Amino acid sequence: MSDPNFSRPGAVDLSTLASKTTAATTAVKGGSYVTDVTEAGFQQLLGLSMQYPVIVEFHSAKDMTGQAVGQALTDVVNAADGRFMLARVDIDAEPRLAQALGIAAVPTVVALIGGQLAPLFQGTRERSEIAAMLDQVAQVAVANGITGRAQPIGSATTDQGQEPQADPRFDKADAALAAGDYAQAVAEFDALLAATPGDPEVIAGRAQAALLARSVGVDGAAVVRAAAERPDDLAAQLDAADLEIIQGANEAAFDRLLGLAAEVAPEEKETIRLRLLELFEIVGRTAPEVLKARRRLSTVLF
């Protein structure tokens, strides 16, 4: 980032990733990913940032120079088709929120990633600079296992005053995730699957919750070391693949497990197949690396 206050998160602490896993949503081209947010809705943004990055613009109608920044942010975010949500906060209408977050001037733009606030810039910026910053935000999010996509709020020119809405079906799972009870979140998603078999959002949500449950308190260095020392150890390689997905190294994770699947006994092959299907849901069914890995998986299995 251009602002020195922005620091790339270090080792991933999955205990903080209690995400709003109504995950694997599909963005609709032409939709708007911009919303006006009040103090009451800000807490919900923190939850949504566990699933995808949220860009927050603090602005004022009195600040004429900031209008170009707001338009550039809107254009860049909408063009990204769900990689981000843009939440706009009018500091004149929400002075307490601005004060609580230490907003001293407008425009001020920050990113919410995994529930953490990262300053981006204050004052005016060119559109090209803004686009480059948001690209870096997306890279940081992926490196921390935040790979969901926002749903469009309305048309690109209307309905921009709505607060983000959560799907009530996921309330119990979301509550378990927020409490850090990832095993219970998996159970809640299982209950939803029993009621709606094959629902892609539920399947993706369960996959993310299961990854969180497996990875709480993981020592990344120990996982890497074990995988290197025991290349034929299925458990060690599964853990390493999980870590690679969290870090955004999706192809490396798939290559690791597919390579091992070609060499192991049938029962271990099935374990790998099931884990890969979970990881495919987390990355996204239509992602190019997933489609490629699916074809290779078919070859390995048959």
Side-chain angles (χ1 to χ4, degrees):
M1 301 296 169
S2 61
D3 191 295
N5 292 318
F6 184 91
S7 58
R8 181 185 178 98
V12 178
D13 178 5
L14 281 172
S15 66
T16 68
L17 297 184
S19 76
K20 286 279 183 179
T21 348
T22 58
T25 58
T26 302
V28 178
K29 288 186 179 294
S32 173
Y33 300 88
V34 182
T35 186
D36 293 319
V37 175
T38 64
E39 181 180 353
F42 192 80
Q43 187 63 36
Q44 188 179 11
L45 293 182
L46 295 174
L48 293 173
S49 76
M50 304 292 185
Q51 182 182 341
Y52 47 77
V54 178
I55 310 302
V56 185
E57 176 201 0
F58 295 89
H59 69 98
S60 169
K62 302 173 185 176
D63 173 37
M64 302 304 292
T65 62
Q67 292 182 5
V69 169
Q71 188 60 57
L73 282 166
T74 296
D75 292 345
V76 172
V77 167
N78 282 337
D81 287 319
R83 289 173 71 195
F84 318 96
M85 172 185 286
L86 173 61
R88 307 187 76 237
V89 178
D90 182 344
I91 66 166
D92 299 320
E94 304 295 333
R96 292 200 312 170
L97 179 58
Q99 183 178 10
L101 295 174
I103 304 302
V106 291
T108 292
V109 180
V110 305
L112 296 175
I113 307 173
Q116 301 298 312
L117 187 149
L120 295 182
F121 65 90
Q122 186 178 96
T124 59
R125 291 290 190 279
E126 295 294 329
R127 175 174 173 155
S128 59
E129 292 180 82
I130 291 173
M133 288 183 193
L134 297 199
D135 279 343
Q136 291 182 50
V137 168
Q139 291 169 22
V140 171
V142 169
N144 284 273
I146 300 171
T147 58
R149 296 183 75 88
Q151 291 197 53
I153 295 163
S155 72
T157 57
T158 62
D159 300 329
Q160 293 190 9
Q162 301 179 25
E163 294 282 353
Q165 298 296 315
D167 189 330
R169 294 183 303 156
F170 299 98
D171 285 350
K172 290 183 178 179
D174 287 344
L177 289 163
D181 190 348
Y182 305 133
Q184 181 60 36
V186 172
E188 297 295 347
F189 281 116
D190 283 339
L192 286 171
L193 274 177
T196 56
D199 186 311
E201 290 187 12
V202 179
I203 292 171
R206 188 198 185 283
Q208 287 212 9
L211 176 61
L212 289 165
R214 291 194 300 269
S215 305
V216 171
V218 68
D219 182 337
V223 168
V224 171
R225 186 167 57 251
E229 293 173 352
R230 303 195 300 275
D232 298 326
D233 185 318
L234 177 58
Q237 300 307 314
L238 290 172
D239 288 345
D242 278 350
L243 182 61
E244 286 165 335
I245 291 293
I246 291 166
Q247 295 174 337
N250 301 328
E251 288 196 62
F254 298 155
D255 287 345
R256 177 185 298 278
L257 296 185
L258 288 165
L260 187 61
E263 302 173 357
V264 298
E267 59 273 16
E268 291 186 326
K269 198 184 296 281
E270 177 63 9
T271 299
I272 293 172
R273 183 186 74 85
L274 293 175
R275 177 61 58 83
L276 279 168
L277 293 179
E278 273 196 8
L279 300 183
F280 291 165
E281 293 295 337
I282 293 169
V283 175
R285 295 183 179 184
T286 60
E289 62 267 43
V290 169
L291 297 176
K292 178 181 175 181
R294 281 189 185 278
R295 290 192 293 270
R296 188 174 164 194
L297 178 60
S298 299
T299 302
V300 169
L301 293 177
F302 305 106

